[in-house]
Amino acid sequence: MLSEEFVSAICGPPLSSNTAIAKDVGIYCHTLSPTYSIKSTFKKSSTPVGCLAVSDSHVFAGQHEKAYVHVYSRIRGNQEAFVAFPERIRCLTLAGDVLIIGTTEGRVMLWETCTGRLVSTPPRHVQAVSCVMATPYHVLTGSDDSDVHVWSLAQLLELDSTAEHEPERTLSNHRAAITALSASPSASADTNICVSASKDKSCIIWNYQTGDALRTLLFPAFPLCLSLDPASRAICVGCEDSTLYLVELFADPPLLGPQAEDAATVTQVSSTFGASRPDAGPASCLAFSYDGTVLLTGHPKGQILRWDVVDANKTPVELANLNAAVTNLVFTPPLDSASARRTTRPANIVKPSQVGGTYVLTTQLEPAAHLGPPSRLDDMLNTPGFSHDTLVGAAAAFEQQSAVAAESDGSEAGQEMRKRIETLEELLDQYRTVQRQINKRRS
């Protein structure tokens, strides 16, 4: 059975003098199923909302009101590095081995953790970058200036130091600060959707490649956090009044697709999914499990609540109380297909450097067992002459062609095919004879 794991982060001092909770712990690694437990912890971190990123080997935590990132090794279980940046960090995320950072000055910084290369854009946002999301080919940044910029990830990582960094487009329908972003992992231009939440009490669903606003959702209170479910079929939104909303995109009537109403139609969302307990406060972060059946919410009073999405009874279960404001929840995928395709991974992160020049890439090869089974090309390269499987396949193809030729022996085309097959069979017999002689000499 696959185990579900997630990482949580807290911010601020302890809420009470509870001696049962370890001191100085700022990041927790949890196992959700089959049985809930706290797997490991990392100390000395105060991570605000949106400043936690997790890879298969490291945890990156931006510090509250600081220009620092603490890097923890998940393999060794300790703090690996303390990394300083030129500006205070407001949010961050990962795109492969690249850490993408939004600053209070409106800039976007990209740190290649394998090489130490640091790329910084001009302050294209006039206020702080409040949230950042990475998709397979794009970076989305939301700001307190109410705009969402869409950047090309490839252009941001160009090696040309003279290239100007400009967003591809700007999504500017909101009238107040952006509070949260979520995007689908799709690489198709038709299904590249993202959702932005704002203090104007609205969420807008966008096709961020075209810049089209597909639907506007209005809420009774302004959203603090949101997330698309893993299949991008629903949006969960947590608002400041402690309510949760689950908006299905393809219900009846659908909000998206060919059967949906005109995109200019504004939808008022009033039916709640649930409400947080009064002693917990509004959800400051939320996350779906990998199969979308479980929703976790983190709260400023220290609780992590578990919600069963498919259960009609929307009573949450308290998983843990961390005795400090829970600000981040990140699920780790049980099967990381991207990591499975990689033949190398960073052994250690390289601290960023703003000085251009030669960069050192330090990696270690994975054991051969993780490189996958030998391909057909590998077998052919390592076999003298043609491999046995290739000869068997060729013989089977000749026999199939012989059967076809036998059916049309009376025609001129059939006779010509028969001659060609006989010639190929003679060549194959000659090759087998030569191969046997070579094998005898070697033995």
Side-chain angles (χ1 to χ4, degrees):
M1 180 179 181
L2 292 175
S3 62
E4 294 179 276
E5 298 181 359
F6 68 95
V7 180
S8 67
I10 61 176
C11 185
L15 298 175
S16 66
S17 57
N18 187 345
T19 57
I21 300 176
K23 295 181 179 180
D24 295 334
V25 174
I27 297 174
Y28 297 80
C29 299
H30 310 254
T31 298
L32 180 61
S33 65
T35 304
Y36 173 77
S37 64
I38 295 179
K39 184 178 179 181
S40 59
T41 59
F42 299 106
K43 293 186 176 182
K44 296 181 179 179
S45 179
S46 183
T47 310
V49 174
C51 284
L52 183 72
V54 183
S55 71
D56 57 351
S57 58
H58 291 89
V59 175
F60 301 86
Q63 300 304 296
H64 181 59
E65 296 294 333
K66 304 291 184 182
Y68 309 138
V69 171
H70 290 183
V71 182
Y72 301 91
S73 172
R74 296 181 62 190
I75 300 171
R76 292 182 287 272
N78 62 351
Q79 183 172 344
E80 182 176 315
F82 173 88
V83 183
F85 288 88
E87 298 175 6
R88 285 187 299 167
I89 296 169
R90 181 71 180 274
C91 53
L92 56 81
T93 191
L94 270 174
D97 292 326
V98 179
L99 187 71
I100 305 169
I101 297 170
T103 74
T104 57
E105 303 299 321
R107 299 180 192 273
V108 179
M109 296 183 181
L110 294 92
W111 167 31
E112 290 183 345
T113 59
C114 291
T115 66
R117 177 174 174 240
L118 182 65
V119 178
S120 179
T121 69
R124 300 303 182 192
H125 286 289
V126 297
Q127 296 186 45
V129 179
S130 57
C131 44
V132 60
M133 275 292 301
T135 68
Y137 304 110
H138 293 85
V139 175
L140 310 177
T141 56
S143 171
D144 289 341
D145 63 10
S146 77
D147 287 340
V148 177
H149 287 339
V150 181
W151 308 77
S152 167
L153 183 58
Q155 290 180 2
L156 289 174
L157 294 175
E158 282 184 351
L159 294 176
D160 184 5
S161 59
T162 62
E164 292 190 9
H165 299 298
E166 294 276 355
E168 286 188 347
R169 63 189 54 84
T170 298
L171 314 177
S172 56
N173 285 23
H174 285 294
R175 295 170 294 153
I178 306 298
T179 57
L181 278 174
S182 185
S184 70
S186 172
S188 170
D190 296 328
T191 55
N192 271 346
I193 64 170
C194 74
V195 186
S196 59
S198 170
K199 288 185 177 181
D200 61 9
K201 300 183 180 181
S202 73
C203 287
I204 300 180
I205 306 172
W206 308 85
N207 182 323
Y208 62 83
Q209 278 208 4
T210 62
D212 296 330
L214 306 178
R215 181 68 56 189
T216 299
L217 308 175
L218 294 181
F219 296 88
F222 79 77
L224 294 175
C225 53
L226 67 85
S227 179
L228 279 164
D229 83 322
S232 300
R233 297 178 59 88
I235 308 167
C236 187
V237 179
C239 293
E240 63 168 345
D241 60 356
S242 299
T243 55
L244 288 175
Y245 297 87
L246 187 66
V247 182
E248 296 188 20
L249 303 181
F250 302 99
D252 189 18
L255 299 178
L256 299 180
Q259 305 300 323
E261 297 180 358
D262 183 69
T265 303
V266 176
T267 302
Q268 181 73 46
V269 180
S270 56
S271 178
T272 64
F273 170 76
S276 304
R277 299 187 330 219
D279 62 330
S284 54
C285 55
L286 54 84
F288 278 101
S289 62
Y290 77 97
D291 59 357
T293 60
V294 172
L295 176 71
L296 299 184
T297 56
H299 299 267
K301 299 300 183 180
Q303 295 93 338
I304 298 178
L305 302 181
R306 169 179 174 154
W307 306 74
D308 193 339
V309 176
V310 298
D311 189 2
N313 181 17
K314 304 304 180 185
T315 302
V317 176
E318 182 176 311
L319 284 182
N321 190 325
L322 304 183
N323 198 32
V326 180
T327 52
N328 292 270
L329 294 170
V330 178
F331 269 94
T332 59
L335 296 174
D336 194 343
S337 58
S339 296
R341 291 193 298 266
R342 295 169 55 184
T343 56
T344 61
R345 68 175 179 181
N348 297 288
I349 64 100
V350 180
K351 289 188 176 183
S353 172
Q354 290 183 300
V355 180
T358 303
Y359 300 97
V360 178
L361 176 64
T362 304
T363 62
Q364 67 181 35
L365 292 174
E366 294 290 338
H370 296 289
L371 298 179
S375 65
R376 183 169 175 266
L377 178 60
D378 294 331
D379 292 337
M380 295 178 69
L381 291 176
N382 295 324
T383 303
F386 292 100
S387 66
H388 176 72
D389 292 340
T390 302
L391 294 176
V392 170
F398 291 156
E399 291 176 0
Q400 183 179 6
Q401 292 179 358
S402 298
V404 174
E407 295 178 358
S408 56
D409 269 340
S411 65
E412 183 177 347
Q415 294 176 1
E416 181 66 23
M417 182 180 293
R418 167 61 64 182
K419 290 180 182 179
R420 292 182 180 180
I421 292 173
E422 290 175 353
T423 303
L424 290 173
E425 289 177 344
E426 291 176 2
L427 292 174
L428 181 60
D429 290 338
Q430 294 176 7
Y431 174 79
R432 287 173 175 168
T433 302
V434 173
Q435 191 71 30
R436 285 195 295 268
Q437 294 174 355
I438 293 174
N439 292 336
K440 287 181 180 179
R441 291 177 182 176
R442 288 180 176 176
S443 60

